[in-house]
Every structure is written in structure tokens, then in C-alpha cells.
Amino acid sequence: MRTTSRRRLLGRTLNYLFLCLVAFVALTPILWMISASLKSPSEILRYPPTIIPEEIRWENYTDVFALQPFAQQFLNSVVIMALVAVLTLVMSVPAGYALARIKPLASGAIFLALLSVMFIPPEATIIPLFQYAAALGWVDTHYPLVVFTAVLVTAPIATFVMRQAFLTLPAEFEDAAALDGSGRLRTMLQIFVPLVRPSLASVVVLACWYSWNQFLEPLIYLRSPEKLTVPVALTHYEDPLAGPLWGVQMAATTLSIIPVLLVFFLAQRHVVSGLTAGGLKS
């Protein structure tokens, strides 16, 4: 018994050590980013690198807001991210429910079309979409970043996720709702949607993550500095000789990861339970 217990203890210790090593490797870039955000330019480029700054420069964080309208740009990204998430839910939940439970005519072809849209890279459609946005007068506005992103990118992926989630629910729920006199819309909103909360959380995290990290689209559509989003604004921290201000860029980048982390931590419980449920079902 003692030998078995010792082997289990040794196995758990090795597992924890391995997980700690993997976590350290994964977190090293973030730790270096935070460390560099508090260093002077000369210390950032020093070799061998240092983890703890010799002289902490809080000015890097104040310069983030002094050199350009970063607060407005940060707010732009937050608003766009929230609108994309809401629009994605509004489109994907009814579409996923219809494809899974109602199964309209040519539902298989519609589902294949959604799958094909998921595999089209954004770079392949950026020029016709820009011409379309220019015709609508949407250049240098946030409309294409919300509408095009939700309709063409996040909603198709989210519809696929929601369809798979609705397919896992038994048909008896619909039969019971029909006997109770419930219509399709009420059945979807009051019975099916609460049962797929983990998938809804996953969709929200996915939409927020994709929208927040967009770089090519805002670079193409936006012109005014006060309308830029965070990923593009991070490239605008330069000195008079067009050299990058690494410390200020790292400070701005550190601030930029906060919203996505907040969204993930708020939805973490549902996302983890959704992944666990998927693993058990498989």
C-alpha cells in the first residue's frame, strides 16, 4: 500500500511540475511584456535581458495617453467588440436553432455554405468589401468593422457552434412545449437557449477575441487617429525619427489585453463547463 501511495504521490508531483513548466513557458511572453513596459529603452534592448527593471518607468503608461488619443481608441475597440458580440448572438442563435430543430428546405446546402464561408481568409475579400463600404459611405467609420465582421466572420462560426449545441438537446422538450401551446420563438428563447448557456459563452468569447484583435480591417477602413482601434494604434508609437517607442508600446499592449481577459474570466465557468460537457458526450 505504501509503495502504491508513493507512486501516486510521485506521479502527481511530476504532473504538477510538468504543468508548471508548460504554464511558465506560455506566460513568459506576457511576463516579458509587462516587465518591458516598465523599463527604459536602453534596458529593453540590453543583452542579456533582465526580468525585474532596474529603474521602474511609470512614465511609459502616462505617455500611452499623452502621445495619441488612446483612451478614445480603447473605447472604440470596446464598443466595436460589444456590438460584434451582440450582433453575432442575434444572428447565430435563431439561425443555429432553425438549422438544428426546424430544418428548413435546403438546410444541408445552407449549412455547407456556412462552412465554406468559415474557410475564406479575410485578405481574399478585403478589396471588394472596401469598394462596397466606399459606395455606402462607410470609409473612416466603424460600421464595416461591426457589420462585415459579424455577418461574414463571427456569425457563420457561431451558427455552426449553436447548431451543434441545439442538436444535442432531446426532441421531447419541443413536444412538451408544443403540448403547452408554446410557439417556436418562445420555445427557443425560454427552453432551448437557457440549456445552451456554455455554447453562448463560447460564442461571446470567440466574437470578442476576434473583434478585439482585428488589424487588417481597421487599417484599411479607418483614417482619423481618434477613430482607430487598439491594434492599429499600437503601431503609432514612434519617436521623431520613426523609431518604435518600445516601452510605451509594451505599456499600451499590456493595457490592451485587459478587456479580453475580463470577458474570458466572466464567461470562464460556462466555457469550461461547455468544454467538459462536450468531452463527456464524445
Side-chain angles (χ1 to χ4, degrees):
M1 288 295 291
R2 289 183 177 178
T3 304
T4 305
S5 299
R6 287 177 182 174
R7 285 180 179 176
R8 287 180 180 174
L9 179 62
L10 179 61
R12 287 182 181 178
T13 304
L14 291 177
N15 285 336
Y16 285 129
L17 288 176
F18 176 73
L19 291 176
C20 289
L21 177 62
V22 172
F24 177 76
V25 172
L27 292 175
T28 296
I30 297 177
L31 295 176
W32 187 88
M33 176 184 69
I34 297 173
S35 172
S37 71
L38 299 171
K39 293 179 181 177
S40 63
S42 60
E43 189 178 357
I44 293 175
L45 301 176
R46 183 182 304 168
Y47 186 83
T50 57
I51 298 298
I52 300 176
E54 294 178 353
E55 179 186 358
I56 296 179
R57 287 177 59 88
W58 296 108
E59 306 93 276
N60 289 338
Y61 282 88
T62 57
D63 289 345
V64 167
F65 299 93
L67 295 177
Q68 60 175 328
F70 188 74
Q72 180 62 50
Q73 295 160 347
F74 195 89
L75 180 63
N76 294 340
S77 286
V78 171
V79 172
I80 292 171
M81 180 178 69
L83 292 176
V84 168
V86 171
L87 198 55
T88 300
L89 285 177
V90 169
M91 290 189 291
S92 64
V93 171
Y97 178 79
L99 289 174
R101 314 304 305 194
I102 302 175
K103 297 181 180 176
L105 186 65
S107 60
I110 296 173
F111 184 61
L112 287 177
L114 283 174
L115 289 179
S116 63
V117 170
M118 291 167 53
F119 291 100
I120 299 176
E123 293 81 2
T125 58
I126 191 67
I127 293 177
L129 286 178
F130 178 79
Q131 293 175 338
Y132 190 55
L136 293 174
W138 284 3
V139 176
D140 204 24
T141 71
H142 296 149
Y143 292 122
L145 301 180
V146 175
V147 177
F148 292 164
T149 301
V151 173
L152 300 176
V153 182
T154 56
I157 300 173
T159 301
F160 171 76
V161 173
M162 297 310 302
R163 174 186 178 272
Q164 300 307 109
F166 286 127
L167 279 175
T168 61
L169 301 179
E172 286 76 8
F173 290 161
E174 283 180 316
D175 299 336
L179 289 175
D180 196 35
S182 176
R184 283 287 187 184
L185 182 61
R186 184 183 169 193
T187 302
M188 180 188 73
L189 294 177
Q190 295 188 351
I191 298 177
F192 279 78
V193 169
L195 294 173
V196 295
R197 282 197 299 269
S199 298
L200 293 176
S202 301
V203 166
V204 170
V205 171
L206 174 68
C208 291
W209 168 78
Y210 186 89
S211 172
W212 185 265
N213 286 325
Q214 274 189 316
F215 178 78
L216 178 62
E217 290 82 356
L219 183 67
I220 297 296
Y221 292 121
L222 302 179
R223 301 286 185 273
S224 307
E226 65 275 9
K227 293 183 179 178
L228 293 180
T229 55
V230 169
V232 180
L234 294 179
T235 65
H236 287 202
Y237 288 106
E238 298 175 338
D239 61 23
L241 299 177
L245 296 170
W246 294 115
V248 182
Q249 281 190 347
M250 291 298 104
T253 306
T254 302
L255 295 174
S256 71
I257 67 175
I258 294 175
V260 176
L261 288 179
L262 285 176
V263 170
F264 177 76
F265 283 124
L266 290 175
Q268 182 182 19
R269 182 168 61 87
H270 294 298
V271 172
V272 172
S273 63
L275 293 175
T276 306
L280 292 176
K281 285 166 187 170
S282 64

